[in-house]
Amino acid sequence: MRVASLLPSATETLFALGVEPVGVSHSCDHPPAARELPTLTSTVVAHEGRSAADIDAQMRAVDGAVYDLDADRLAELAPDLLVTQATCDVCAVDASEVRAAATALDPEPDVLALDPHSFSDALDDAVRIGEAVGEEAAASELRAALRERVDAVRERAERAVADEGRPRAAVLDWTDPPIRAGHWVRDMVEVAGGDPSFQPDGPSEPVAWADVREFDPEALVVAPCGFDRDRAADAIGDLAARPGWRDLAAVAGDRTYAVDGNALFNRPSHRLVDSLAALFACLHPEHAATPPAAHDRVAHVDATTPSVRADGG
């Protein structure tokens, strides 16, 4: 089957199931082989090397679509299936545009629009993708392996909570303006043994800095959407410039972490289980099999002068 993926998380899952897409989005970068495939999308927003505030300003200034679909290249690739998403208006080509493009092709490909809103939804999408591409057995095996890994983290978290309680946790997927991560992240914080009440029970949403200060997180995880780990560490500077930063329990207690949002948290693929393990290490480092810094996508940040700590710990 010829499959075109317009969604990084779907591309990751397709490769995990042994299916190489014929075309991908411009954001698809994992596994590395995805970068070598024909690209079907582009964006008018300049992202590389820009600050969170600059990118936000560009997004707000766009008059029309943020992402473009190359209909001519899509026709040349002649896919049997298009995989897209309907979860986030600012993360990928609009699903309605994808369906319209599919209708214009002859023969018309099927369209699978993923729409995960919870942690289990995201992991179950591996099965949906597997069924759509005829890899049901591989998908079932992958889902079972993910369930086993989640259960292992859950058991560790239950022991940690019994010993330490649930730390107030805050996960941000943008810094200027601050945005608290939604969808599957609330579930992940709960499974990992944190207090999930700061995360919205729905899509990611802007949060007033005063509300962050009032919640006073004991552990702060910053995973800006589309940023790697080092850019996430730089973005923490946006928060450090705000009043009351040093008074936050997470800062005073040296529990601030910068995370590669591209690899962890932002994309609802099977790699969310890696994100869960990293989150548990951030929330309960004394109970984790490995410390947060052992996860190469996570950096323990010196929150007084936001930078990756020299000891990496």
Side-chain angles (χ1 to χ4, degrees), residues 154-244:
R154 193 190 307 274
E155 290 173 6
R156 283 181 175 271
E158 288 173 354
R159 293 194 293 269
V161 170
D163 186 35
E164 302 173 340
R166 289 183 176 272
R168 296 186 305 277
V171 181
L172 300 179
D173 60 19
W174 205 246
T175 57
D176 195 357
I179 295 179
R180 49 185 162 191
H183 294 304
W184 43 87
V185 173
R186 184 183 178 96
D187 298 340
M188 292 171 63
V189 172
E190 183 166 12
V191 173
D195 173 359
S197 59
F198 180 78
Q199 312 306 141
D201 187 13
S204 298
E205 64 181 21
V207 59
W209 180 244
D211 292 336
V212 177
R213 293 184 62 184
E214 181 178 358
F215 182 71
D216 192 22
E218 295 168 289
L220 177 62
V221 177
V222 180
C225 188
F227 281 21
D228 64 17
R229 189 195 70 175
D230 291 343
R231 287 184 73 188
D234 290 342
I236 289 178
D238 299 333
L239 305 176
R242 294 176 179 270

Side-chain angles (χ1 to χ4, degrees), residues 9-278:
S9 59
T11 298
E12 295 175 6
T13 300
L14 285 165
F15 271 96
L17 297 177
V19 177
E20 182 174 304
V22 297
V24 295
S25 81
H26 67 281
S27 298
C28 294
D29 56 11
H30 183 85
R35 301 178 181 138
E36 307 302 320
L37 299 176
T39 302
L40 291 164
T41 67
S42 60
T43 180
V44 297
V45 175
H47 188 276
E48 192 64 33
R50 303 299 183 95
S51 68
D54 186 358
I55 294 170
D56 180 71
Q58 289 184 66
M59 294 288 289
R60 293 175 184 276
V62 172
D63 183 13
V66 175
Y67 300 98
D68 294 316
L69 177 61
D70 189 334
D72 291 337
R73 175 170 284 185
L74 182 64
E76 292 172 3
L77 295 175
D80 303 303
L81 175 69
L82 280 172
V83 185
T84 186
Q85 62 92 38
T87 305
C88 176
D89 293 337
V90 298
C91 292
V93 177
D94 185 86
S96 61
E97 182 181 347
V98 175
R99 290 191 177 93
T103 301
L105 299 179
D106 185 19
E108 181 179 341
D110 293 328
V111 175
L112 174 62
L114 304 174
D115 192 19
H117 292 278
S118 68
F119 184 51
S120 60
D121 285 347
L123 302 187
D124 287 344
D125 274 347
V127 176
R128 293 189 65 203
I129 294 172
E131 291 173 346
V133 299
E135 295 291 344
E136 293 89 346
S140 178
E141 183 177 343
L142 175 60
R143 185 64 181 92
L146 296 175
R147 187 177 295 111
E148 184 175 334
R149 291 180 61 198
V150 171
D151 287 344
V153 174
R154 193 190 307 274
E155 290 173 6
R156 283 181 175 271
E158 288 173 354
R159 293 194 293 269
V161 170
D163 186 35
E164 302 173 340
R166 289 183 176 272
R168 296 186 305 277
V171 181
L172 300 179
D173 60 19
W174 205 246
T175 57
D176 195 357
I179 295 179
R180 49 185 162 191
H183 294 304
W184 43 87
V185 173
R186 184 183 178 96
D187 298 340
M188 292 171 63
V189 172
E190 183 166 12
V191 173
D195 173 359
S197 59
F198 180 78
Q199 312 306 141
D201 187 13
S204 298
E205 64 181 21
V207 59
W209 180 244
D211 292 336
V212 177
R213 293 184 62 184
E214 181 178 358
F215 182 71
D216 192 22
E218 295 168 289
L220 177 62
V221 177
V222 180
C225 188
F227 281 21
D228 64 17
R229 189 195 70 175
D230 291 343
R231 287 184 73 188
D234 290 342
I236 289 178
D238 299 333
L239 305 176
R242 294 176 179 270
W245 167 255
R246 290 174 180 263
D247 298 328
L248 293 179
V251 175
D254 196 23
R255 298 280 298 280
T256 304
Y257 303 95
V259 176
D260 181 342
N262 253 350
L264 304 177
F265 293 103
N266 301 160
R267 298 177 179 178
S269 76
H270 60 287
R271 290 205 293 166
L272 280 184
V273 177
D274 296 333
S275 307
L276 180 67

